Amino acid sequence: MGTSDATMVFTNDTSPAGVDDSSSSIPWMDNSTFTAASTEAAPMSKSLQTYPERVAIAVLWLLIALIDIIGNTMVILAVVFSKKLRTFTNVFVVSLSVADLLTGLALPMSAVGLLSPGDTWPWSTETPCYLAGMLLFISSCASLYNLASIALNRLILIKRPMTYRSLYTRRNLAINVAVLWFVAIAIMVVPPLCGVGGFGYDEQHHTCSDLDTHPKAKSFERIQTFLFYPIPLIIIVTSYTIIYLHVRRHFKAQRSLRGGISTSGTGPVSSSSSFQVSDNAAVLKTSQQGRAYHQQLQITKNLFMTVCAFVVCVTPYSVALFIPNNDRYLLFLGVVFTCNSCINPFIYASKHPQFKKVLRRMLQCRYSQIEEPSDALKALMTCCYKA
């Protein structure tokens, strides 16, 4: 049968029954070819989100990245400009800000993938996407280990102040920060080097992250979750629990001491004034120690807020990794995850007593009013005046 007859049979289901077997087989073959060609022309998308959802997430990430970069840069510059902020605890605060800053620098690459209408990486090479994905995960891991180091620092300062100076020397601080960054890098780099997971362009989420399509992607996700979340979280919770119990005992003892002093003050007056002078000196010393203790306690409470913010932002994503058939929602939880990187500067600016003053002067461009200006700030101001 001719080609025209075959076409007629394909397009008309009411053809006469007198069509031979060879004729009926041709339409079946043509239909198969047509379907295959259609599938090849419009392949099934692997995307788990619609394009409008991807655009919304990309806009949110670009906004988070902008706030992140500006805020954390200001926190780092505040320590650079003011000697008063150069405390041992703030070494970890700066390290935390560096980690959050790296997160902000990595997010725009994912926005590029999300905004691309296709299902493949839009550029000729995936190298920028690979580096951005690896940087994002390393910085997130480093953030949590920095928060664990801050918790231990506050615990030792409040509970063992006499050993604090000998333990937190410049050398030990440098080693501590280097070790925590080494651990964060090792957790995220060693498994891919051993063939467990990898980084690059994720075609399902259109982001620069770990590859969900890798044969051992789930194993890599478990390694991430177990090594960079539970261990630091246990350190953080344990440290702040001990701090809370210690502070509660401290204030109970203070109330008892004040009650004893008040009771002794209402009794008979001693014939010797030396006891009164001694008591006044003791009360003054206790008052000064109390103010210093309250200041350290306030700083600890504010730093604890950064821990709470991190836990609230990170926990949903980490828990979701263990729930099956929820890959579609991981990207949305990832947005909540990255929100943490831009929250900390707001906590410092609004609550931390020392950072608050310096950051306010910086926002008002009153650098000459910054307390205890550093040599770097003095040199910068001198250059500006000369210009």
Side-chain angles (χ1 to χ4, degrees), residues 36 76 103 110 117 178 233 251 271 285 319 346 357 363 382:
I76 296 170
T103 299
S110 288
L233 187 64
F251 283 116
S271 58
K285 183 177 180 180
V319 172
F346 290 99
K357 294 179 181 178
L363 288 172
T382 301

Side-chain angles (χ1 to χ4, degrees), residues 18-339:
V19 180
D20 60 13
D21 293 339
S22 61
S23 300
S24 61
S25 64
I26 296 175
W28 178 85
M29 292 177 62
D30 287 344
N31 190 28
S32 174
T33 306
F34 173 78
T35 305
S38 301
T39 304
E40 186 176 349
M44 185 72 68
S45 175
K46 297 180 181 179
S47 179
L48 297 176
Q49 288 81 30
T50 64
Y51 188 71
E53 289 175 337
R54 287 158 50 185
V55 171
I57 293 171
V59 171
L60 285 174
W61 263 346
L62 289 174
L63 181 61
I64 290 171
L66 180 63
I67 298 172
D68 179 333
I69 293 171
I70 295 174
N72 286 290
T73 300
M74 288 190 66
V75 170
I76 296 170
L77 289 177
V79 178
V80 173
F81 289 160
S82 177
K83 292 180 180 179
K84 194 172 184 178
L85 292 178
R86 295 182 182 180
T87 63
F88 293 141
T89 301
N90 287 347
V91 171
F92 297 110
V93 171
V94 171
S95 181
L96 177 63
S97 294
V98 170
D100 291 339
L101 179 61
L102 293 178
T103 299
L105 294 174
L107 287 178
M109 281 295 102
S110 288
V112 171
L114 287 166
L115 293 173
S116 176
D119 291 330
T120 58
W121 178 247
W123 296 354
S124 59
T125 175
E126 280 193 27
T127 301
C129 190
Y130 174 88
L131 294 176
M134 184 169 59
L135 186 63
L136 177 63
F137 278 75
I138 290 174
S139 60
S140 300
C141 185
S143 292
L144 192 50
Y145 275 94
N146 273 294
L147 290 171
S149 297
I150 289 173
L152 284 174
N153 179 275
R154 305 315 297 178
L155 173 62
I156 296 172
L157 177 61
I158 290 177
K159 192 170 176 60
R160 295 285 185 269
M162 300 303 294
T163 60
Y164 183 82
R165 288 284 181 180
S166 59
L167 186 61
Y168 282 95
T169 61
R170 290 186 177 182
R171 178 176 175 273
N172 290 345
L173 277 171
I175 293 174
N176 193 335
V177 172
V179 167
L180 69 86
W181 275 96
F182 175 80
V183 170
I185 293 172
I187 291 173
M188 296 302 165
V189 173
V190 172
L193 290 177
C194 297
V196 180
F199 296 102
Y201 181 69
D202 188 342
E203 294 181 356
Q204 291 184 327
H205 297 294
H206 300 270
T207 58
C208 300
S209 61
D210 58 340
L211 296 175
D212 291 338
T213 55
H214 194 280
K216 296 184 178 180
K218 291 298 180 183
S219 299
F220 189 33
E221 289 178 355
R222 300 295 186 271
I223 292 173
Q224 295 171 28
T225 306
F226 278 117
L227 291 183
F228 95 78
Y229 187 69
I231 296 174
L233 187 64
I234 290 171
I235 295 173
I236 291 168
V237 172
T238 303
S239 298
Y240 282 107
T241 301
I242 296 173
I243 289 173
Y244 171 75
L245 296 175
H246 175 77
V247 168
R248 191 173 65 173
R249 287 194 299 267
H250 173 81
F251 283 116
K252 282 184 179 180
Q254 270 197 335
R255 284 195 294 267
S256 300
L257 179 62
R258 288 171 183 171
I261 293 175
S262 176
T263 303
S264 64
T266 58
V269 178
S270 174
S271 58
S272 174
S273 62
S274 62
F275 290 101
Q276 296 179 0
V277 173
S278 177
D279 287 342
N280 290 338
V283 171
L284 180 61
K285 183 177 180 180
T286 302
S287 177
Q288 291 173 344
Q289 291 176 344
R291 284 196 297 270
Y293 189 86
H294 274 282
Q295 184 182 25
Q296 293 300 331
L297 181 61
Q298 184 63 36
I299 294 173
T300 302
K301 288 166 63 177
N302 295 331
L303 292 171
F304 178 68
M305 291 179 63
T306 66
V307 174
C308 292
F310 192 95
V311 172
V312 168
C313 292
V314 174
T315 301
Y317 180 84
S318 299
V319 172
L321 292 176
F322 292 92
I323 301 175
N325 303 322
N326 68 338
D327 289 345
R328 168 174 163 74
Y329 304 101
L330 288 178
L331 184 59
F332 302 107
L333 293 175
V335 176
V336 179
F337 184 105
T338 53
C339 281

